[in-house]
Amino acid sequence: MKTFKDALQRLRHLLPGERLLIDPAHLAAYESDGLTAFAVTPRAVVIAETSQEIIETVRICHDTGIPFVARGSGTSLSGGSLPHSDGIIIALNRMDRILEIDPRQRIAVVQPGTINLAVSVAARSHGLQFAPDPSSGQVCTIGGNIAFNAGGAHCLKYGMTSNHVLGIKAVTAEGTVIELGNRSTESTGPDLTGIFCGSEGLFGIALEITLRLVPKPECFHTVFASYDSLQKAGDAVSQIIASRMLPGALEIMDKLAIEAAEAAVGAGYPRDSEAVLIVELEGTSAQVEHDRNRLSGLLDDSGADVIHVAGDDLERERIWKGRKSAFSAVGRLSPDFIVQDGVVPRRLLGKALRKIQEIARQHKVRVANVFHAGDGNLHPLIMYDGRVEGALEQGEACAAQIVQMCTDMGGSITGEHGVGMEKRAFLGNMYSEDDINLMHRVRRGFDPKEIANRGKMFPSGEAPSLSLYGLHPLEKKGIISRE
Amino acid sequence: MVIPHGNLTKAALVSMDADKKIVPVDMTQLRGILNYDPDEFVFTALAGTPVSEISKTLAEHGQFLPFDPPFSSSGATLGGTVAAGLNGPGQFRYGGVRDFIIGVKFIDGAGQKLKGGGKVVKNSAGFDFPKLFVGSLGRLGILYELTFKVFPAPQAYMTLSFNPGNIQSALDTACLLAGSSLEPFAIDIVPPGRLEIRIGGNEKANESTAGLIEKCAGFPASRMTGQMESETWDKLRDFKWAQEEFLIKVALNPSLLCELDNILEKIEASRHYSAAGNVAYISTERNNLLFIDDTLKKMKLSGVALRGDLEYPRLGWHPARKAETKIQSAMDREGKFLPL
């Protein structure tokens, strides 16, 4: 492997020893991401501290043809930051500076390793926030949010990460620095910022990102309602949508998820219910006051067993904590799990949930459900025990059937986690060979040697050698969660 | 070479050369809403569908296009609005066309039918071609079918007019309100120093929000509701104020607004600012074009001409051109579209 030796030699000139990891013990920490079923050991890890180091590292990779994977906190649920066995990891955690917050223009300029939540924390004193709020917001980084176009619980109203990115300075996989977008919410010319977001790291690495900040709503009205059937909860969502309200969030959890969340954080959800619906209204107090009366009437007529309104911020936080920790809490019920994030048209949610239970029975696996009901984004959590031979395969077969169901219903294979490693076999469910060839060509425009995140997203991608792995260490500690 | 076009409301984007080497592709007959499901907040329509037709259909179900498409009453089509990347004043509340487009079908230079995105409101599978086509100026492919997310429309609107008197005060107030939690739908600045704030929601809520906006601004406002109110914005969306040959859009940011405005004042160009200082529209004569182009370059601002006879519509600073060329060569191998 002369080329790798060449690359390593050049990297040694570029970086001090403690920031170029080659010792297997050090590399082990980078073997896996949020898709914990798989692990691959990279050849080396570069811990970058400056944009110039990233640019130089990418140039070395391009010259030598060594694949690289950019990695923030490694929380990707689609295996997006899984290493390549012949390649290196470029770790961006130390590129975590917020370079600028401009409250007048309502923008933040950040480095890619900046933690998602840190942006909102920094903007808070100006009454502003960064709207995308994935459940892993305490840990996941903006670079990763951009690569996989991360979502969260408030996407119906606010959109995804890409809707909040105005400009990106990036290095392409060829080592060229490009500037996309600007500091305005407007642009001229094709929206390259838009296509860079969600490109799954296949074009290159974002170095500096200009984010749009939005004012924090003046007031919130957060309610949960419990039901004796998922159908009733789903019908309530349809009623709310039909009433011309635009809630900030509409979330449903099923029985298994409720039990787990209650055991973990005690959010106050009734344990004996089949479904809990969380509705959050937000906006000016005058508008929320008006909408809350309508909402209250709708929920009263929706057949709910218990309706509970958060009386203060603490209670609101508790309701959300239950929701956001639901999946890691389900981890208590099973040593391993796979989470899907397919999307179905909202009106088919009830049908989709029944079908998921059917599929689960067929495969003899348990599935818990938490989903963004407002935008039809499912999150079936498929439980298996990785120590039992064939269990992972069984879980994967169940997951595959669920993904298929989503596209059969006219939906998407992924709402917010991206295709990554996990769903690349299904990209063809949504796009023709010609469509996918076009994606290949666009990618090669920025990465002719296909070294940036090689093996991800494309169906025919070269598979890194995989091995079975357990839960993500941070997940075991309950620090991060899957949404 | 080909250039697709609709009703030519942004004629500067459609080069009609005298020697007919560029073939215009008239999309206006490819019209109609193919699917609209109000419960899903989604519709799909053919590219030549007038946006006014779509707005009308949505309004029957209490929904609207939150990006507030310009030139609506002049016949703007959905495809043209996307290709031009144009948003109306109402974009301030929920975002622009890029924030609501979720799926595209298009024809490439080889005549292949291709697609990007999907038909559900949330989707992160594959490259986001729908966004890429926003502002693509008909030069990356011929859009023929588009899918959008829509929102419930506010029950009523109210407009508050402030007259701080000069551009700096108008901008200061605009920024103050833009950063507040009062959720205005539109924040437009009309030189020399007027500010138009549009709010939307339940009528009673609007009354109370209007009071808070006046308090926040520190000025009394004149209030407008009903038909006169909506006509005011219709006129703005149709650029009735812009009388000169050329109409130019500039992607701006509030920090540079006053500087740009001073320069434009000196050459007596009419202008209007929208989205709390994030976009400028300039109406001017041909003899100012070079100067404006040069000014934009110096200020690192990008612009595009929407009206007026020009060989190439883009003005000012375009740092992404290198990347655009890469994308264009990947998408148009046959060279059937005009260079970006």
Side-chain angles (χ1 to χ4, degrees):
Chain A
M1 288 296 284
K2 188 171 174 299
T3 48
F4 187 75
K5 273 190 183 160
D6 289 347
L8 203 58
Q9 200 175 358
R10 287 177 64 185
L11 289 170
R12 282 199 177 103
H13 284 293
L14 181 69
L15 299 149
E18 69 275 14
R19 293 200 285 114
L20 175 62
L21 313 180
I22 46 166
D23 181 339
H26 291 146
L27 298 180
Y30 296 86
E31 280 178 351
S32 206
D33 61 10
L35 179 68
T36 51
F38 304 113
V40 175
T41 309
R43 300 285 300 270
V45 174
V46 165
I47 300 173
E49 287 187 350
T50 65
S51 291
Q52 201 50 42
E53 285 175 357
I54 299 174
I55 296 165
E56 293 301 329
T57 303
V58 167
R59 285 179 181 160
I60 291 168
C61 288
H62 177 69
D63 290 348
T64 54
I66 304 288
F68 67 85
V69 177
R71 176 182 163 121
S73 298
T75 57
S76 169
L77 293 172
S78 57
S81 55
L82 195 73
H84 192 285
S85 54
D86 295 328
I88 66 164
I89 289 278
I90 304 179
L92 303 172
N93 309 66
R94 294 194 190 177
M95 295 283 295
D96 63 350
R97 271 176 299 150
I98 295 176
L99 303 171
E100 182 188 346
I101 298 263
D102 184 336
R104 197 171 148 90
Q105 292 196 55
R106 301 174 312 287
I107 56 173
V109 182
V110 307
Q111 291 187 324
T114 304
I115 302 290
N116 170 290
L117 192 64
V119 181
S120 283
V121 169
R124 193 177 287 160
S125 62
H126 305 290
L128 301 171
Q129 63 176 350
F130 179 57
D133 63 339
S135 282
S136 53
Q138 292 180 56
V139 201
C140 65
T141 62
I142 298 295
N145 292 173
I146 286 178
F148 288 84
N149 200 10
H154 295 80
C155 288
L156 178 67
K157 187 168 178 180
Y158 289 98
M160 322 264 294
T161 297
S162 61
N163 302 110
H164 299 271
V165 179
L166 303 179
I168 299 172
K169 181 177 167 191
V171 56
T172 69
E174 279 183 296
T176 310
V177 176
I178 54 173
E179 279 185 52
L180 316 175
N182 53 38
R183 292 164 71 92
S184 173
T185 55
E186 282 272 3
S187 60
T188 66
D191 189 348
L192 299 193
T193 309
I195 197 166
F196 194 95
C197 290
S199 61
E200 307 215 348
L202 300 175
F203 295 171
I205 302 179
L207 304 170
E208 261 181 44
I209 304 115
T210 305
L211 302 172
R212 175 165 78 113
L213 303 173
V214 296
K216 279 172 78 76
E218 187 188 350
C219 95
F220 294 97
H221 175 69
T222 312
V223 188
F224 76 71
S226 69
Y227 296 88
D228 59 12
S229 79
L230 273 168
Q231 184 70 44
K232 282 186 188 166
D235 289 346
V237 169
S238 301
Q239 289 295 320
I240 293 166
I241 292 291
S243 76
R244 291 178 65 171
M245 269 186 275
L246 183 61
L250 275 167
E251 302 281 306
I252 295 181
M253 298 164 72
D254 77 356
K255 191 175 180 62
L256 264 181
I258 296 164
E259 280 173 12
E262 273 309 297
V265 298
Y269 310 141
R271 280 175 191 250
D272 54 351
S273 48
E274 289 293 322
V276 161
L277 165 66
I278 301 172
V279 188
E280 184 162 272
L281 301 175
E282 43 160 65
T284 60
S285 45
Q287 187 63 41
V288 169
E289 182 61 36
H290 175 259
D291 286 347
R292 65 183 287 172
N293 294 330
R294 290 158 71 208
L295 177 66
S296 165
L298 285 173
L299 291 178
D300 284 345
D301 296 341
S302 69
D305 297 323
V306 176
I307 299 172
H308 182 81
V309 179
D312 53 32
D313 282 352
L314 268 180
E315 228 180 326
R316 172 178 177 251
E317 265 170 41
R318 199 162 67 230
I319 292 176
W320 276 113
K321 197 171 177 195
R323 162 62 188 87
K324 293 213 170 193
S325 66
F327 272 12
S328 56
V330 171
R332 293 168 171 228
L333 306 179
S334 172
D336 302 285
F337 49 89
I338 299 168
V339 53
Q340 285 291 336
D341 76 317
V343 182
V344 297
R346 186 169 32 225
R347 68 179 184 284
L348 299 178
L349 269 177
K351 189 176 166 194
L353 291 165
R354 280 196 301 278
K355 183 95 182 150
I356 288 173
Q357 293 311 335
E358 241 172 67
I359 295 169
R361 272 196 299 277
Q362 265 173 37
H363 292 277
K364 299 189 175 67
V365 293
R366 285 191 302 165
V367 177
N369 286 286
V370 171
F371 48 96
H372 305 310
D375 43 28
N377 192 186
L378 306 165
H379 286 96
L381 190 137
I382 301 146
M383 296 177 238
Y384 69 94
D385 184 347
R387 292 163 301 189
V388 176
E389 201 175 325
L392 170 65
E393 289 72 17
Q394 192 80 347
E396 283 187 320
C398 174
Q401 229 176 311
I402 294 173
V403 173
Q404 184 67 45
M405 173 200 78
C406 290
T407 47
D408 287 349
M409 288 182 171
S412 170
I413 59 174
T414 171
E416 55 187 5
H417 299 170
V419 178
M421 275 299 295
E422 188 203 16
K423 290 176 286 272
R424 49 190 200 150
F426 300 99
L427 195 67
N429 283 20
M430 294 183 66
Y431 303 109
S432 71
E433 207 181 317
D434 289 340
D435 300 332
I436 294 173
N437 282 338
L438 174 67
M439 292 182 204
H440 270 296
R441 289 204 303 277
V442 169
R443 187 265 183 98
R444 281 189 213 115
F446 295 111
D447 181 11
K449 294 186 177 174
E450 302 189 3
I451 53 171
N453 221 4
R454 179 182 289 175
K456 310 291 165 60
M457 197 183 92
F458 289 112
S460 51
E462 169 196 339
S465 4
L466 302 172
S467 63
L468 193 63
Y469 207 64
L471 272 183
H472 193 290
L474 288 174
E475 199 163 30
K476 277 184 179 161
K477 286 184 193 157
I479 296 170
I480 62 168
S481 52
R482 308 181 188 208
E483 185 172 7
Chain B
M1 282 203 195
V2 295
I3 181 89
H5 70 84
N7 282 318
L8 299 173
T9 55
K10 283 86 65 180
L13 304 179
V14 185
S15 292
M16 302 286 192
D17 59 335
D19 51 0
K20 305 246 160 91
K21 277 189 185 146
I22 303 166
V23 181
V25 181
D26 182 346
M27 302 296 289
T28 52
Q29 297 309 304
L30 201 65
R31 60 188 282 178
I33 297 172
L34 301 179
N35 181 53
Y36 170 39
D37 193 340
D39 289 346
E40 297 293 330
F41 285 1
V42 167
F43 75 87
T44 301
L46 292 170
T49 315
V51 288
S52 57
E53 187 180 316
I54 293 163
S55 296
K56 199 171 154 231
T57 306
L58 297 179
E60 285 162 13
H61 297 272
Q63 297 184 346
F64 77 140
L65 292 168
F67 56 93
D68 199 15
F71 298 110
S72 180
S73 46
S74 320
T77 61
L78 196 61
T81 302
V82 171
L86 282 194
N87 312 303
Q91 65 160 303
F92 184 78
R93 177 73 187 93
Y94 293 116
V97 61
R98 77 184 299 262
D99 299 305
F100 289 89
I101 186 166
I102 56 176
V104 286
K105 288 189 178 172
F106 58 98
I107 310 280
D108 73 357
Q112 288 189 108
K113 282 176 159 185
L114 297 166
K115 79 165 183 176
K119 292 195 171 175
V120 280
V121 293
K122 201 170 181 187
N123 172 27
S124 66
F127 295 159
D128 198 340
F129 287 111
K131 279 202 185 59
L132 181 69
F133 270 93
V134 175
S136 61
L137 309 175
R139 295 165 189 234
L140 287 178
I142 302 179
L143 290 169
Y144 68 92
E145 193 184 302
L146 302 112
T147 302
F148 277 85
K149 169 168 119 169
V150 296
F151 274 168
Q155 286 167 340
Y157 286 109
M158 181 191 279
T159 294
L160 288 91
S161 290
F162 293 95
N163 203 348
N166 63 67
I167 203 80
Q168 183 69 57
S169 309
L171 177 66
D172 289 346
T173 309
C175 290
L176 197 65
L177 292 170
S180 77
S181 54
L182 296 168
E183 307 189 340
F185 273 66
I187 301 183
D188 279 32
I189 299 169
V190 190
R194 208 172 79 235
L195 190 60
E196 303 283 357
I197 310 290
R198 192 177 208 199
I199 55 175
N202 164 259
E203 266 179 38
K204 215 173 115 197
N206 284 350
E207 282 292 336
S208 126
T209 305
L212 292 172
I213 285 182
E214 284 181 331
K215 206 168 146 194
C216 178
F219 296 93
S222 60
R223 298 183 186 188
M224 219 181 350
T225 52
Q227 198 183 343
M228 208 167 127
E229 195 268 357
S230 69
E231 280 171 8
T232 304
W233 295 97
D234 288 345
K235 278 185 207 152
L236 267 180
R237 243 179 258 116
D238 260 21
F239 296 91
K240 298 285 189 216
W241 58 271
Q243 296 297 320
E244 305 298 338
E245 184 189 355
F246 290 89
L247 176 64
I248 298 160
K249 167 187 152 173
V250 177
L252 186 62
N253 58 68
S255 323
L256 297 174
L257 190 146
C258 290
E259 185 185 341
L260 180 68
D261 192 69
N262 284 336
I263 296 169
L264 296 172
E265 169 73 30
K266 280 185 192 134
I267 57 165
E268 294 178 3
S270 314
R271 65 266 179 209
H272 181 94
Y273 305 98
S274 198
N278 276 280
V279 61
Y281 289 97
I282 306 166
S283 171
T284 188
E285 291 163 1
R286 184 177 290 274
N287 57 5
N288 282 329
L289 277 186
L290 273 178
F291 175 75
I292 291 175
D293 184 34
D294 195 42
T295 301
L296 295 181
K297 280 188 180 120
K298 280 184 190 145
M299 295 181 72
K300 294 193 170 179
L301 291 170
S302 74
V304 62
L306 304 174
R307 283 200 307 227
D309 187 15
L310 269 175
E311 244 176 61
Y312 181 69
R314 301 176 76 182
L315 296 103
W317 192 65
H318 295 283
R321 190 156 280 161
K322 224 170 17 182
E324 286 174 3
T325 308
K326 297 243 181 210
I327 295 235
Q328 190 168 31
S329 352
M331 293 185 69
D332 178 24
R333 288 174 297 176
E334 293 74 17
K336 294 285 185 200
F337 294 95
L338 297 169
L340 270 164

